[in-house]
Amino acid sequence: MRKFFAGLAALQMLAIVTQFFLAASGAFDTAPNEESFQPHRALGGGIVLIAVLVTVVAAIARMPGRLIGMSGLVAGLAIVQFVINGIATALDGTAGGLVFGLHAVNGLAIVAVAGAVIRQTRQLSVPAAPVRQAP
């Protein structure tokens, strides 16, 4: 089950990196509009689902509590992305643009936490070095 968790965490990171690519593709489209960001929006919903699944699998696999918590944090931060988008859209104008800047900052936080989950998962899979006994 731990190997499944590790694979799922890696899939989550791949989806997050793809999300950045889709955001850039939408932003640098020849005529960026709502339609340009549709793949970015769709994958965002998928990332929330993957993050929730990663958290549930971490709990079932009896991963350390900190790892379960960090997995849940990725899900929470992904949900915050939709909240930021909603607030920025409601504000319009300069204020909306400034609030929407937090969307990118939060995305970087998601990458950092998801990366920490993968690092800790790898540390758990590395066997401890044998302890030598003094003669």
Side-chain angles (χ1 to χ4, degrees):
M1 187 60 110
R2 287 182 176 226
K3 286 187 179 197
F4 180 67
F5 171 78
L8 204 54
L11 175 68
Q12 176 178 258
M13 182 59 93
L14 178 64
I16 292 167
V17 170
T18 302
Q19 186 71 328
F20 273 90
F21 171 80
L22 292 174
S25 293
F28 295 110
D29 195 347
T30 54
N33 55 26
E34 289 299 313
E35 189 177 300
S36 301
F37 289 98
Q38 190 56 37
H40 176 73
R41 239 181 256 107
L43 183 57
I47 288 172
V48 171
L49 295 176
I50 292 170
V52 169
L53 182 61
V54 167
T55 305
V56 169
V57 170
I60 291 171
R62 297 183 181 243
M63 300 302 270
R66 182 175 179 160
L67 199 51
I68 296 169
M70 287 189 349
S71 299
L73 180 59
V74 172
L77 289 172
I79 291 169
V80 168
Q81 289 291 73
F82 287 97
V83 173
I84 291 170
N85 185 29
I87 293 170
T89 303
L91 289 176
D92 255 355
T94 305
L98 291 173
V99 170
F100 201 68
L102 295 174
H103 187 76
V105 173
N106 191 49
L108 292 173
I110 291 171
V111 169
V113 176
V117 167
I118 290 173
R119 265 190 313 280
Q120 286 191 8
T121 302
R122 284 186 179 168
Q123 288 174 352
L124 288 174
S125 66
V126 174
V131 178
R132 291 184 155 189
Q133 301 236 343

